[in-house]
Amino acid sequence: MQAEPKIILVVEDDPEIRALVGALLVREGFRVEEAEDAVSMDAVLGRVGPDLIILDLMLPGEDGLSICRRIRARHDVPILMLTAKSEEIDRVVGLEMGADDYLVKPFGPRELVARVRAVLRRGSRAMQPPDRRFAFGDFVIDLDARQLVRRPDVPVRLTSAEFDLLACLVQRPRRVLTRDQILDWTRGRSADPFDRTVDMLISRLRRKLDAASPGSNLIATVRNGGYLLTARVRPVA
Amino acid sequence: MTPLHSLAARIGLIVVSSLVVALLGAIAIARLADAPDDGASLAGRIAALVSVLEETPVDRHESILRAASSRFFTARIEPTANAASTPSRAVERRLSSRIGAELEALGHRPSSVTVSRAPNGGRGLEYRIALETGGTLVVRVGRRAATVLGVPAPLATSLFGGLVALAALLAMRRETRPIARLAAAVDLLDPSGPRVELPGRGSSVREIAALIGAFDRLQNRLAHLLRTRIAMLAGISHDIRTFTTRLRLRVDAIPDDAERERAVADIEDMVRLLDDALLATRAGAGELAEELVELDEIVRAEVDDRRAEGRAIELDAGSAPGGAVVLGDRLALRRVVANLLDNALHYGGAARIALESDARAVVLTIDDRGPGIPEAEREAVLEPFVRLETSRSRRTGGAGLGLAVARSLVDAHGGSIGIDDSPDGGARIVVRLPRYRSQR
């Protein structure tokens, strides 16, 4: 007796692509559910539990990025992201969104089927608890426990605002962040909405990092007033 | 640029020179208006005085002398006979002969004229005539220069004029400085950068305020234009991806393998061209991401991809171990490397790529074994993407845009790209990108 066909939910706003992908997957022996946006996707999810979601990044209404985060919070179903722009790959599979794999449009049928089978075989990354501890330079930061440690085990005391700022930098390492971006990402936690506070926090944070690890020089300033965590960041258990 | 190319200097020069001319004119007019007695009338007057004195009893002389004297004309009689003096200067000789001629009518008597310069700047003439009645008539004629606060009037006038001119110059500088500052600020205008706050917006000078307002509107229009262009291109790019995705899925139904592969390649080229256009436009608009990118990793990955397809690429990245860090956009840098490699492979069949870095720059050298690029065409193939004339893209079917796109992206990273002859016989492309150096 044959195994139950795997259920694949295709969330894509272009009806033709949706139909073409659906037909392709049916030919390959999958059972396909279709949704055109977040609302109809939620309706389908209320009815069936798919084994894989193929999600378009650019959707009308709630976009794929936000849907992806939302699904991650509740389900452990693997997600294969379809993106129109190759420049978004880093964000799609990176720390921000946590899709399991991606395909850049336009893609060929065989490519799609191969990815679908690979992701199904591998299972969702969401099964493993996400990494929330990161090592950079001489430090280890634990985002959940909100602790910074100078290796091997010297705790570094940071204020709440300083910790938020460092967490923001650590989650986007080696990338130039403008004051505005930093404010956007840390807003809601730090109360003070003034531009200069970022500069002040940065210099206080630098002093503390330098005091704990002299000469480490982890935060660089780039022209036009952006900041950059120069260290490589890797998740640790 | 000479100082005269400054507006302030020019207006200042006009003010100063007109002031000088006006001043000289005023002095000349004043001179003409109260021109001193010329020698002729003066000589006649003195001769008349001599004749009156000689015909009058000596005891009345004092009164006559008093009557004849004025501020500019003082006459007295010295008891000694001392009228002889040799004229030493031309003006003295001229005046002596004139007074001599006047006195000749009365009968010859010795006379002399000396010219002296008074300490206050005035000029004095001293006539000495031996009287027949004995003694010497001494007549001093001289205009005592008028003074203002102890300074001779002409000098005072010049000084005052100079001060006014100086004040005018300072005022001029003050008025033209906003224009210079505006020019400096307009130079910083970059439609892709942040808005430049133009100085002197609240200027009370109508013309300057209008100029600043006009530049401000221009800056807004440019920024708007750029944003619109990017948004439009991004929109087109998204929609075309939708169409090409449908097409790509359908193309698989083409039964002939060769035909299908060609169709797939066409779709890929089309999307890639569009991606390049969008990327180059974003680069021109300063919208690229900035992150630390290891160029050696990108080069290695791109080389590996092509080797996996069976292309011949020689890689020499040993000289830049982990030191080829550039602050830039990962995707854009990947496109640069990919375009240059594909170009080299397309025209040269095989490529050799080397990566070196020194203190300031990361240098990427790509050699091929193709026909090379003639010196005359090098500038043309590197024309920035945005300035390409349509004829060229038509001629090359879009395939020749790789270098132009690479140039646009390298430019946006503050780097440079050049074409040379390769020792391998083909073309050599050299890309220099500024190496990232940490600063606090």
Side-chain angles (χ1 to χ4, degrees), chain B residues 172-185:
Chain B
M172 200 75 60
R173 271 192 61 83
R174 207 181 140 269
E175 290 303 314
T176 53
R177 204 179 301 129
I179 300 180
R181 279 211 307 264
L182 177 65

Side-chain angles (χ1 to χ4, degrees), chain B residues 32-351:
Chain B
L32 281 177
D34 69 356
D37 299 334
D38 62 3
S41 69
L42 191 63
R45 208 169 143 197
I46 293 172
L49 182 62
V50 168
S51 98
V52 169
L53 285 171
E54 285 179 349
E55 282 162 18
T56 322
V58 177
D59 57 332
R60 302 300 299 151
H61 279 188
E62 201 53 38
S63 308
I64 293 171
L65 290 177
R66 265 175 59 198
S69 288
S70 73
R71 192 172 148 201
F72 303 116
F73 188 99
T74 53
R76 64 194 162 82
I77 292 174
E78 286 181 1
T80 51
N82 182 15
S85 154
T86 5
S88 55
R89 299 197 300 189
V91 58
E92 289 177 349
R93 274 196 293 278
R94 206 175 66 236
L95 291 169
S96 303
S97 67
R98 201 167 276 158
I99 186 80
E102 289 287 342
L103 292 173
E104 218 45 56
L106 308 173
H108 178 77
R109 61 215 67 211
S111 67
S112 72
V113 182
T114 49
V115 178
S116 65
R117 192 154 280 282
N120 62 9
R123 201 174 68 161
L125 302 176
E126 191 177 80
Y127 288 81
R128 304 181 83 92
I129 299 119
L131 294 175
E132 282 188 334
T133 49
T136 309
L137 172 66
V138 180
V139 176
R140 282 176 189 275
V141 183
R143 209 150 51 91
R144 285 180 48 199
T147 66
V148 178
L149 302 173
V151 180
L155 188 59
T157 316
S158 315
L159 277 178
F160 180 67
L163 281 177
V164 171
L166 194 68
L169 268 182
L170 291 177
M172 200 75 60
R173 271 192 61 83
R174 207 181 140 269
E175 290 303 314
T176 53
R177 204 179 301 129
I179 300 180
R181 279 211 307 264
L182 177 65
V186 169
D187 264 344
L188 292 178
L189 285 193
D190 175 7
S192 60
R195 250 184 76 88
V196 173
E197 202 50 56
L198 297 178
R201 296 217 51 179
S203 174
S204 53
V205 182
R206 209 183 323 124
E207 290 85 349
I208 291 184
L211 191 62
I212 291 170
F215 271 121
D216 221 24
R217 288 190 295 278
L218 180 67
Q219 142 167 284
N220 289 341
R221 270 209 306 277
L222 283 176
H224 178 73
L225 203 66
L226 204 60
R227 277 200 308 275
T228 319
R229 201 171 70 172
I230 292 173
M232 189 180 75
L233 209 49
I236 292 175
S237 173
H238 177 259
D239 283 4
I240 293 220
R241 271 180 190 281
T242 302
F243 295 134
T244 50
T245 304
R246 294 179 192 165
L247 198 58
R248 179 67 188 80
L249 290 170
R250 290 199 171 107
V251 152
D252 247 47
I254 298 177
D256 183 272
D257 281 357
E259 281 296 311
R260 189 176 60 240
E261 268 162 35
R262 240 180 266 157
V264 169
D266 274 351
I267 292 172
E268 276 168 6
D269 283 351
M270 189 164 108
V271 170
R272 189 166 144 167
L273 184 64
L274 199 66
D275 278 352
D276 276 356
L278 186 59
L279 202 55
T281 307
R282 282 182 42 227
E287 289 214 345
L288 293 182
E290 277 188 310
E291 58 187 312
L292 296 181
V293 178
E294 280 81 11
L295 204 62
D296 45 333
E297 286 175 13
I298 287 183
V299 168
R300 217 161 267 133
E302 292 295 324
V303 168
D304 288 348
D305 279 359
R306 282 158 187 76
R307 278 179 179 166
E309 292 169 6
R311 313 304 302 262
I313 303 178
E314 206 180 306
L315 170 65
D316 173 20
S319 41
V325 178
V326 172
L327 188 65
D329 186 298
R330 186 177 298 278
L331 189 76
L333 292 170
R334 221 163 61 199
R335 295 301 311 155
V336 170
V337 175
N339 279 354
L340 295 181
L341 275 178
D342 289 344
N343 241 40
L345 291 174
H346 183 256
Y347 294 105

Side-chain angles (χ1 to χ4, degrees), chain A residues 139-210:
Chain A
F139 299 92
V140 174
I141 188 169
D142 187 326
L143 298 185
D144 294 316
R146 293 182 68 76
Q147 273 178 348
L148 178 69
V149 172
R150 153 94 161 84
R151 283 190 284 190
D153 53 5
V154 187
V156 182
R157 275 181 211 293
L158 297 181
T159 66
S160 177
E162 288 162 4
F163 188 89
D164 289 340
L165 175 62
L166 184 58
C168 168
L169 291 171
V170 165
Q171 291 177 85
R172 295 156 191 87
R174 294 168 78 76
R175 203 184 298 175
V176 177
L177 306 177
T178 65
R179 285 195 192 87
D180 283 347
Q181 287 173 321
I182 293 174
L183 268 179
D184 271 356
W185 279 315
T186 54
R187 185 168 293 152
R189 285 187 182 258
S190 327
D192 208 340
F194 295 107
D195 195 43
R196 299 300 301 176
T197 50
V198 173
D199 296 345
M200 264 171 42
L201 280 177
I202 289 273
S203 73
R204 280 192 342 229
L205 192 55
R206 271 178 180 157
R207 268 203 301 278
K208 289 192 179 178
L209 294 180
D210 263 2

Side-chain angles (χ1 to χ4, degrees), chain A residues 59-70:
Chain A
L59 287 173
E62 186 181 3
D63 69 358
L65 191 142
S66 147
I67 294 174
C68 189
R69 286 203 194 107
R70 195 155 56 83

